[in-house]
Amino acid sequence: MEFQTTRKLRDFDTWGEVRRAWEAGETGASLARRYDVGLDNLWRRRATESWVRRKGPDPKPEPIEGWDRYARAKMEAFELKRDETRQLAEVLAAAMQGGPLERVPLWHAGHVLTWRAEHLETEVAAADREYFRKHAWTDGFWDAAGRLEDLWVLDQVTLEANREAWREDAGLPPGVAEVWP
């Protein structure tokens, strides 16, 4: 009894499909089964023809809590930030229309003062200066002639005077990253 082996001959189009599929990330074993090509031949062609797989981005690992809980936490954080932003907008809008400054957050005081000085009457600017006299560090907001400094100066004065509050807001413990701010 004689055994005769038949050679599997595949055309260039078939091998082109195999190459494109392998370079896209499909496994050699699955391609050998699907196209009925020998796995050894596939590896040989891959080596001789210098097939290269395209490196795609690494998949994002699943969070420990699972995607649903992760998404819920992200939505809650988003809604909280959105609501805080809306409340801040209302406070700033009221202050910019001449309303009280008591609720204006510290870090926005310079912007509100600048806006009010540019858009409201001089009496409001004078009242603002009187209001801020309660903080000794706000003397740097006005020059010797009584004019309000530029916004960047106001922001710098506020940051320097309230350095520890900024560091606490940023979550920096004492003794680390001392050059900030």
Side-chain angles (χ1 to χ4, degrees):
M1 205 178 193
E2 285 185 38
F3 291 100
Q4 187 175 7
T5 59
T6 57
R7 293 182 60 162
K8 296 180 195 175
L9 296 175
R10 301 291 177 252
D11 61 10
F12 290 111
D13 292 336
T14 301
W15 281 109
E17 288 180 32
V18 171
R19 180 178 184 165
R20 284 189 296 279
W22 185 86
E23 287 179 339
E26 198 167 334
T27 64
S30 68
L31 291 169
R33 263 192 311 276
R34 181 158 35 123
Y35 291 98
D36 193 26
V37 296
L39 193 54
D40 288 339
N41 286 335
L42 188 143
W43 294 133
R44 191 176 306 116
R45 277 191 177 252
R46 180 188 63 94
T48 58
E49 296 176 8
S50 301
W51 298 359
V52 178
R53 281 201 169 151
R54 293 178 211 101
K55 175 78 171 123
D58 290 338
K60 184 166 177 128
E62 182 172 351
I64 294 173
E65 67 270 24
W67 285 114
D68 287 335
R69 289 175 123 184
Y70 177 83
R72 184 178 326 121
K74 288 294 184 179
M75 180 55 79
E76 289 171 0
F78 165 77
E79 289 173 342
L80 178 64
K81 185 171 179 137
R82 180 196 61 201
D83 293 344
E84 287 176 346
T85 303
R86 287 176 178 170
Q87 290 173 356
L88 174 62
E90 290 173 2
V91 168
L92 295 179
M96 289 175 158
Q97 293 173 358
L101 295 171
E102 287 84 17
R103 293 184 54 217
V104 173
L106 174 68
W107 307 118
H108 298 284
H111 177 68
V112 170
L113 285 175
T114 302
W115 196 93
R116 287 166 64 118
E118 292 171 356
H119 295 90
L120 301 179
E121 299 84 30
T122 55
E123 295 81 26
V124 174
D128 290 347
R129 185 169 184 180
E130 192 59 38
Y131 173 79
F132 273 99
R133 283 185 192 260
K134 67 181 181 180
H135 303 292
W137 57 268
T138 58
D139 288 343
F141 279 13
W142 291 271
D143 65 14
R147 290 184 305 266
L148 190 64
E149 294 283 1
D150 291 332
L151 178 58
W152 71 269
V153 175
L154 304 182
D155 288 341
Q156 191 63 35
V157 168
T158 303
L159 193 56
E160 288 172 2
N162 298 282
R163 179 179 190 271
E164 293 307 316
W166 181 87
R167 291 179 60 80
E168 185 179 324
D169 287 350
L172 292 172
V176 301
E178 286 295 330
V179 296
W180 295 98

